[in-house]
Amino acid sequence: METSAISGLKRAVVLDQSSRFQESLVCYQEGIPLLMDVLKGNTHSQLEGKYHEQIRIAEDATGYGYEALFIPYSTEGLTEVWVEDPYVRHIHPK
C-alpha cells in the first residue's frame, strides 16, 4: 500500500504541475488517506476497494499490457480489476 500512496501522490504532483487541477485533486484526495494509513500501520482501506488510480496512455504507446499495469497492485486479496476504456470490450477475469 505504501507504493500505491507514493504513486498516487507523485501522479497528483505531476498533474498539478501540468495545471490539470481537477485530476490532481482526485489523486491527492485518494493518496493522502492511503499515506496516512501507511503511517498509522493500517493497510485495510486498500483492501476495501477504496483505491483509484487514473493512468493515461499516449496514442500508439507500447509496453502497457495488463500485467505491466496491474502487477504492482496485485495481492492475494485481489479478486477483480475494473478497466474503463472505450477500446476494451471484453471482460478479462483474473
Side-chain angles (χ1 to χ4, degrees):
M1 182 161 58
E2 181 178 348
T3 305
S4 299
I6 291 169
S7 173
L9 291 172
K10 281 183 178 180
R11 177 89 176 128
V13 171
V14 169
L15 290 168
D16 207 1
Q17 291 171 341
S18 301
S19 298
R20 294 167 59 185
F21 302 118
Q22 283 298 113
E23 294 169 87
S24 69
L25 177 62
V26 171
C27 290
Y28 282 126
Q29 288 173 331
E30 293 171 354
I32 290 172
L34 286 173
L35 179 61
M36 295 304 294
D37 285 346
V38 168
L39 295 173
K40 292 177 189 175
N42 177 5
T43 60
H44 189 65
S45 69
Q46 184 176 0
L47 298 176
E48 292 176 358
K50 294 182 181 178
Y51 181 75
H52 168 267
E53 182 171 343
Q54 182 175 7
I55 301 169
R56 291 189 182 252
I57 301 171
E59 187 175 339
D60 296 326
T62 60
Y64 290 96
Y66 285 121
E67 185 174 339
L69 290 173
F70 300 124
I71 207 73
Y73 311 105
S74 180
T75 63
E76 289 182 21
L78 182 67
T79 58
E80 66 183 2
V81 174
W82 289 17
V83 177
E84 294 181 24
D85 185 321
Y87 300 103
V88 176
R89 303 277 189 241
H90 304 284
I91 296 172
H92 301 279
K94 180 180 175 186

